Amino acid sequence: MAAYLSMGEAHRRIADYLSRLDDAISQSDGADLASLLAISSAPASTPLSDALAAFPDFPRLASDRFPHLSDFLPPLLRAIHSHSLRRFGDAYSSFEKAASAFLQEFRNWETPWAMEAMHMVALEIRLLAEKADRELVMSGKNPDKLQAAGSFLMKVFGALAVKGPKRVGALYVTCQLFKIYFRLGTVNLCRSVIRSIETARNFDFEDFPVKDKVTYMYYTGRLEVFNENFLVADQKLTYALMHCNPQSESNLRKILKFLIPVKLSIGVLPRRTLLEKYNLLEYADIVTSLRRGDLRLLKQALDRHEDQLLKCGVYLVLEKLELQVYRRLVKKM
């Protein structure tokens, strides 16, 4: 633990971490650099965090040993240290400074060798912002870090939305922005990013990685659900479902949670085995009510799962199925 760590050992650990970072940059090793920038998933106590606690002069050590990275390394170490102490607001503020310095360096590199690291920065700034905002709420303060993270990620998107090989990384950042906007309830901000992706000549959608295309189609499909454009929503969510990793049941379930209400709205009823497989039985009685033309069963099902369906954002969509139930009832009569 940090309390029993000598100054010499702490100095060695910090210097080793800094050297690995510098080597990853000088050798254009994007994967190793990305792993060194992962903060939010680290446990409270690590060899590096213990060393930072035992050697408080670590910012000067970083600046003296690597002056060419003096805008990047000291705030990065402060972010790691603050995160280990569960001071998430301080961790976010420091990481944002480090991320801004990294983005400046990234702009200057001609090739996209650091794309994996840039994506790690985009992920970390969102996750740290979420932790910081929860901390602010608990202390009775205004949670504003996630909004700030969104502003920073728009700068990252701007650096990627250019002609050249870096543009292939833009969709991942777009998906991080979607996650922020959906959490903040500002989904209208998605529109400008969507226009950039779908209308700009810089982008060919098929060039993006499959996992990013799946996430993009999932969120844009959800947007179409909210706008009641069910045919477009069906196309986007079906694309996400068909291209999602079949081993990722949790992601398949997330997609189906929105695709099923869309299918119901256009008259396609899922089998019960599908609902059982992905634990989506909140839709079971709704499907049965449509098959039978049973309006009372539909209302009972909506009342029973109202909180869950409202939280998901599909309650109003399902409420409008009454007309289909009436049609089914008339056909039976």
Side-chain angles (χ1 to χ4, degrees), residues 4 39 43 49 55-56 78 88 94 99 178 196 221 224 235 261 317 330:
Y4 304 103
I39 294 177
S49 66
F55 195 91
R78 290 192 187 97
F88 299 127
S94 295
F178 284 168
S196 297
E224 298 300 346
Q235 292 172 0
V317 175
V330 169

Side-chain angles (χ1 to χ4, degrees), residues 34 37 47 49 52 80 94 102 115 125 130 160 164 185 213 228 246 250 253 271 294 299:
L37 296 176
S49 66
L52 295 173
I80 295 170
S94 295
F102 183 79
M115 188 63 69
I125 203 161
E130 290 176 359
L160 298 174
K213 290 191 288 188
E228 298 187 8
S250 62
R253 184 177 185 275
R271 296 177 180 176
D294 190 335
K299 291 183 175 180

Side-chain angles (χ1 to χ4, degrees), residues 7-279:
M7 291 286 283
E9 175 60 17
H11 183 285
R12 187 196 66 77
R13 292 183 186 182
I14 298 169
D16 179 65
Y17 173 79
L18 295 172
S19 294
R20 286 183 62 196
L21 264 172
D22 186 57
D23 288 345
I25 293 173
S26 62
Q27 297 169 15
S28 300
D29 189 340
D32 194 34
L33 181 57
S35 68
L36 293 167
L37 296 176
I39 294 177
S40 60
S41 59
S45 178
T46 65
L48 177 60
S49 66
D50 292 346
L52 295 173
F55 195 91
D57 202 21
F58 59 80
R60 190 171 71 172
L61 171 62
S63 296
D64 289 349
R65 293 199 62 164
F66 302 96
H68 58 293
L69 296 173
S70 59
D71 292 334
F72 172 52
L73 295 178
L76 177 62
L77 292 178
R78 290 192 187 97
I80 295 170
H81 181 50
S82 295
H83 185 267
S84 70
L85 298 176
R86 303 186 66 78
R87 297 202 305 255
F88 299 127
D90 293 340
Y92 173 82
S93 297
S94 295
F95 190 80
E96 186 180 31
K97 292 178 182 177
S100 296
F102 183 79
L103 177 59
Q104 186 58 46
E105 293 292 331
F106 181 83
R107 283 194 176 106
N108 295 332
W109 294 323
E110 293 184 3
T111 65
W113 70 265
M115 188 63 69
E116 191 173 347
M118 190 74 256
H119 284 174
M120 180 61 73
V121 168
L123 173 64
E124 285 293 333
I125 203 161
R126 177 179 67 82
L127 296 177
L128 289 172
E130 290 176 359
K131 290 185 177 183
D133 276 358
R134 286 195 291 269
E135 181 181 78
L136 288 167
V137 168
M138 291 179 65
S139 61
K141 297 178 181 178
N142 180 42
D144 58 357
K145 302 304 182 187
L146 203 54
Q147 186 175 355
S151 297
F152 173 78
L153 288 180
M154 279 302 297
K155 296 178 183 177
V156 178
F157 180 82
L160 298 174
V162 294
K163 291 183 178 179
K166 291 182 181 179
R167 68 183 183 277
V168 74
L171 200 64
Y172 179 89
V173 177
T174 298
C175 295
Q176 295 301 318
L177 281 165
F178 284 168
K179 291 176 182 181
I180 289 175
Y181 295 153
F182 272 78
R183 182 175 284 269
L184 291 176
T186 55
V187 294
N188 58 300
L189 296 178
C190 296
R191 291 299 174 191
S192 61
V193 188
I194 292 172
R195 280 196 299 271
S196 297
I197 291 292
E198 297 186 356
T199 64
R201 295 179 180 178
N202 295 344
F203 299 116
D204 183 343
F205 191 74
E206 293 308 314
D207 289 342
F208 293 119
V210 173
K211 63 178 183 178
D212 294 341
K213 290 191 288 188
V214 168
T215 306
Y216 179 85
M217 287 298 199
Y218 166 71
Y219 278 104
T220 54
R222 286 181 60 181
L223 280 174
E224 298 300 346
V225 174
F226 297 151
N227 294 327
E228 298 187 8
N229 296 326
F230 297 128
L231 292 177
V232 179
D234 180 37
Q235 292 172 0
K236 290 178 175 290
L237 291 170
T238 299
Y239 180 99
L241 184 71
M242 297 301 293
H243 293 83
C244 184
N245 183 348
Q247 304 301 319
S248 181
E249 289 201 7
S250 62
N251 287 338
L252 291 170
R253 184 177 185 275
K254 286 179 182 178
I255 297 168
L256 285 167
K257 189 179 289 188
F258 292 92
L259 182 56
I260 287 172
V262 169
K263 290 291 189 184
L264 295 177
S265 298
I266 60 177
V268 179
L269 307 186
R271 296 177 180 176
R272 185 178 178 88
T273 52
L274 179 74
L275 304 181
E276 291 174 347
K277 179 178 179 179
Y278 292 100
N279 191 25

